[in-house]
């Protein structure tokens, strides 16, 4: 429950629209009016109010917010005066700092970025995170380097969540993906500098996640170092990131992690090997199937389903039978049945095949699964068409129009198959435009772009970017 104008808006989109149109000329306010408006937000704890109290005080808060904003430079000066007073007195009034920062942003935009940043850096962001996030998001959309300190101030937060009606709540790391992703590829060098110099575990974890998703190759050596970091969260992020990069050099490191103890550590390495896509990992993953940890279990099953070999399928079948005896619902059985359905076989018919026949059938199926993502008729697309489509995608802020019959999505996939490493920045620019929709709906498109970036990023150093018998370097 947040006692700000942003809290009463029906959606984030409406919030952003109001920010954009509230550029009315400054109104003169008396010193007492400004003092009274500031007092509304001082020493206020939104968590302490029940629904009735919040509704009762909402009109007063809205009026105070508008008075300060409409006072322009006069309102900004009064807010800064109060922020300085708080610092000098060493008071703890974090929520006021967040409110003041948001109003200052509305008054002065990027000119007030230093003060906004200072306010955010000096207090916890979680109590007013929605307010912080929406302000930071508006700054990120400018793609102006003056906004970068504001984004970095947010990078240390891992607990904040944002409710976007009617889409629901989302949190870390998606919050940072919206902020840094909408800023676009020009923010990656700054993330790289943060990764190289920061000692804050959350900053390191967040930057690792973002840089790996963007296939930012300059960060890879540092991420390898972080795979042995003292913080388990930083180590986990680094290991998962190495799977995303999929570099041939990292297979031995990733496979060695399967000998570790602890479900979370194992989860990170299995997750990484899923992303890595090397079939050699199958014999080392199978022994983890009997785990009692549900999260790890799901990841192991998913990994064996992706790294589909005869021994993968047989292990999943045995696991399904074991769980059937225990009268448990089995994800393994669902995977086995899905594979058999695609092969148009029952288990007995499949089992009767020779080993070479099984491997050939499953290799064909892996190829079909790959074709589900990247159409095999990519020859119908040209790079000029990709460049033209990319400009249209940025303008429309989506890869295809809603309501089509799937042809638009398929065409987007065809076009993305002709992207080259030199197009990574372009794809990230498209993603930035899509993320400005600030909706869970845009994530369907951005996830496809992530896959395309991964595909072309890996093509710089490995022969096959997807699932393969062995990840090998380009000669």
């Amino acid at each position: 429950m947040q006692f700000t104008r942003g809290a009463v808006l029906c959606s984030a989109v409406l919030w952003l629209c109001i920010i954009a149109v509230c550029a009315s000329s400054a109104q003169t306010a008396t010193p007492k009016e400004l003092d009274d408006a500031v007092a509304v937000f001082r020493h206020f704890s939104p968590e302490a109010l029940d629904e009735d109290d919040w509704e009762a005080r909402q009109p007063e808060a809205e009026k105070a917010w508008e008075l300060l904003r409409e006072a322009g430079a006069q309102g900004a000066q009064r807010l800064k005066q109060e922020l300085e007073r708080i610092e000098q007195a060493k008071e703890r009034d974090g929520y006021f700092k967040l409110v003041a920062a948001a109003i200052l942003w509305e008054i002065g935009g990027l000119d007030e970025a230093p003060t906004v940043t200072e306010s955010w850096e000096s207090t916890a962001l979680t109590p007013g995170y929605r307010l912080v996030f929406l302000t930071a998001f508006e700054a990120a959309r400018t793609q102006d380097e003056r906004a970068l300190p504001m984004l970095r101030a947010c990078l240390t937060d891992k607990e904040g969540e944002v409710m976007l009606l009617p889409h629901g709540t989302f949190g870390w790391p998606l919050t940072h993906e919206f902020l840094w992703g909408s800023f676009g590829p020009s923010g990656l060098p700054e993330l790289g500098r943060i990764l190289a110099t920061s000692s804050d575990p959350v900053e390191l974890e967040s930057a690792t996640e973002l840089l790996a998703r963007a296939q930012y190759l300059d960060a890879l050596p540092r991420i390898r170092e972080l795979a042995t970091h003292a913080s388990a969260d930083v180590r986990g992020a680094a290991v998962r990131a190495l799977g995303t990069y999929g570099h041939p050099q990292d297979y031995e490191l990733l496979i060695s992690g399967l000998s570790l103890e602890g479900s979370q550590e194992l989860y990170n390495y299995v997750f990484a090997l899923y992303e890595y896509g090397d079939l050699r990992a199958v014999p080392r993953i199978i022994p983890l199937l009997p785990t009692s940890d549900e999260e790890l279990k799901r990841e192991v099953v998913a990994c064996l389903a992706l790294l589909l070999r005869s021994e993968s399928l047989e292990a999943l079948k045995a696991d399904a039978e074991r769980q059937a005896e225990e009268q448990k619902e089995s994800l393994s059985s669902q995977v086995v049945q899905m594979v058999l359905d695609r092969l148009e076989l029952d288990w007995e018919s499949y089992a009767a095949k020779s080993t070479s026949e099984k491997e050939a059938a499953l290799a064909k199926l892996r190829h079909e699964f790959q074709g589900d993502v990247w159409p095999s008729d990519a020859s119908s697309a040209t790079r000029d068409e990709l460049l033209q489509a990319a400009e249209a995608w940025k303008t429309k802020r989506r890869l295809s129009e809603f309501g089509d019959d799937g042809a638009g999505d398929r065409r987007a996939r065809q076009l993305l198959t002709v992207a080259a490493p030199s197009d990574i920045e372009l794809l990230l620019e498209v993603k930035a435009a899509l993320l400005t929709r600030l909706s869970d709906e845009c994530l369907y498109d951005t996830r496809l772009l992530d896959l395309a970036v991964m595909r072309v990023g890996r093509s710089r150093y490995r022969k096959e970017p997807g699932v393969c018998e062995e990840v090998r370097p380009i000669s």
Side-chain angles (χ1 to χ4, degrees):
M1 187 187 314
Q2 295 189 15
F3 199 47
T4 68
R5 184 179 69 185
V8 301
L9 301 178
C10 65
S11 72
V13 174
L14 181 55
W15 160 275
L16 296 174
C17 290
I18 289 179
I19 288 178
V21 301
C22 280
S24 56
S25 58
Q27 302 295 316
T28 301
T30 67
K32 184 178 186 308
E33 288 174 329
L34 292 172
D35 290 344
D36 290 345
V38 165
V40 170
F41 300 110
R42 286 285 268 130
H43 302 296
F44 172 72
S45 175
E47 296 86 356
L49 291 181
D50 60 27
E51 193 69 24
D52 290 339
D53 288 336
W54 175 67
E55 290 182 0
R57 294 186 63 178
Q58 182 175 317
E60 179 187 31
E62 291 179 338
K63 182 179 179 181
W65 184 299
E66 290 303 313
L67 186 143
L68 288 163
R69 182 190 60 75
E70 291 177 3
Q74 186 185 16
Q77 182 180 11
R78 181 63 186 86
L79 287 167
K80 290 178 182 179
Q81 180 185 49
E82 196 69 17
L83 288 170
E84 185 177 355
R85 182 179 299 170
I86 290 170
E87 291 303 311
Q88 290 178 347
K90 296 184 175 5
E91 288 187 58
R92 297 183 62 182
D93 197 352
Y95 195 74
F96 174 79
K97 290 183 177 182
L98 303 185
V99 170
I103 299 174
L104 284 168
W105 170 261
E106 289 196 28
I107 293 171
L110 288 167
D111 290 338
E112 295 293 350
T115 305
V116 172
T117 302
E118 184 178 349
S119 296
W120 288 352
E121 289 177 339
S122 63
T123 192
L125 305 183
T126 304
Y129 188 76
R130 184 175 186 273
L131 180 61
V132 172
F133 175 85
L134 293 173
T135 302
F137 181 72
E138 185 68 8
R141 292 176 68 215
T142 67
Q143 298 185 351
D144 188 305
E145 64 179 12
R146 290 176 292 171
L148 287 172
M150 293 173 61
L151 301 190
R152 177 164 188 174
C154 296
L155 202 61
T156 59
D157 183 273
K158 193 178 177 182
E159 306 300 325
E161 294 184 335
V162 182
M163 171 68 79
L164 296 179
L165 300 176
H167 304 291
T169 301
F170 67 89
W172 184 95
L174 193 53
T175 45
H176 295 318
E177 184 177 351
F178 269 109
L179 294 179
W180 289 86
S182 60
F183 188 90
S186 62
L188 295 176
E190 177 64 17
L191 281 171
R193 284 189 286 272
I194 292 169
L195 193 73
T197 60
S198 177
S199 60
D200 182 275
V202 177
E203 276 195 337
L204 292 173
E205 190 180 0
S206 302
T208 295
E209 169 83 19
L210 293 165
L211 290 165
R213 191 179 292 277
Q215 289 287 309
Y216 190 69
L217 201 52
D218 289 351
L220 185 52
R222 174 59 173 157
I223 290 173
R224 288 181 179 132
E225 294 175 0
L226 294 177
T228 58
H229 194 273
S231 164
D233 287 342
V234 174
R235 287 198 308 274
V239 167
R240 296 192 301 272
L242 292 179
T244 301
Y245 279 105
H247 197 285
Q249 179 180 325
D250 297 313
Y251 176 75
E252 293 300 332
L253 184 153
L254 295 179
I255 205 70
S256 70
L258 298 183
S259 61
L260 296 174
E261 296 182 359
S263 295
Q264 187 57 52
E265 292 272 19
L266 287 170
Y267 172 87
N268 291 327
Y269 280 94
V270 175
F271 179 101
L273 288 165
Y274 175 99
E275 297 293 329
Y276 196 80
D278 192 315
L279 291 163
R280 291 177 296 168
V282 168
R284 298 290 300 275
I285 295 171
I286 288 173
L288 300 177
L289 262 175
T291 179
S292 59
D293 184 279
E294 292 186 9
E295 186 178 34
L296 175 58
K297 176 81 170 188
R298 286 193 297 271
E299 196 63 26
V300 169
V301 172
C303 196
L304 291 175
L306 180 74
L307 304 180
L308 191 58
R309 308 189 73 157
S310 60
E311 55 189 316
S312 309
L313 193 60
E314 287 160 10
L316 290 168
K317 174 66 171 174
D319 185 66
E321 292 173 347
R322 182 168 57 249
Q323 292 184 79
E325 292 174 358
E326 299 171 359
Q327 297 183 330
K328 293 182 179 179
E329 291 187 22
S330 172
L331 181 58
S332 294
S333 65
Q334 296 175 31
V335 172
V336 171
Q337 191 58 53
M338 179 270 295
V339 172
L340 292 174
D341 289 344
R342 289 289 294 258
L343 293 174
E344 298 182 345
L345 296 171
D346 56 27
W347 183 257
E348 289 72 22
S349 301
Y350 170 81
K353 291 181 176 293
S354 67
T355 300
S356 60
E357 289 174 330
K358 291 175 182 176
E359 290 294 352
L362 295 177
K364 182 175 181 292
L365 192 54
R366 290 196 306 269
H367 180 74
E368 290 176 3
F369 288 156
Q370 182 76 4
D372 290 343
V373 181
W374 303 117
S376 57
D377 56 346
S379 59
S380 62
T382 67
R383 188 167 183 278
D384 285 343
E385 288 175 317
L386 170 63
L387 298 178
Q388 184 178 4
E391 294 307 313
W393 293 337
K394 285 192 281 188
T395 300
K396 293 189 302 180
R397 299 190 300 156
R398 56 175 46 89
L399 297 186
S400 60
E401 297 292 349
F402 287 122
D404 68 18
D405 58 1
D409 177 75
R410 181 174 177 78
R411 183 57 178 164
R413 292 172 188 270
Q414 288 174 334
L415 291 165
L416 289 170
T417 60
V418 302
S422 59
D423 297 316
I424 289 178
E425 183 171 336
L426 174 64
L427 298 182
L428 294 175
E429 290 172 356
V430 173
K431 181 179 178 180
L434 269 56
L435 286 171
T436 60
R437 286 160 53 191
L438 195 53
S439 163
D440 56 354
E441 293 169 344
C442 76
L443 297 179
Y444 297 103
D445 284 345
T446 60
R447 288 297 169 256
L448 179 57
L449 286 170
D450 288 340
L451 290 174
V453 169
M454 178 189 289
R455 187 171 185 268
V456 298
R458 288 178 168 189
S459 71
R460 294 172 292 184
Y461 44 76
R462 60 188 266 181
K463 287 184 177 180
E464 297 181 62
V467 175
C468 55
E469 294 284 348
E470 179 180 349
V471 172
R472 295 179 178 176
I474 295 174
S475 300

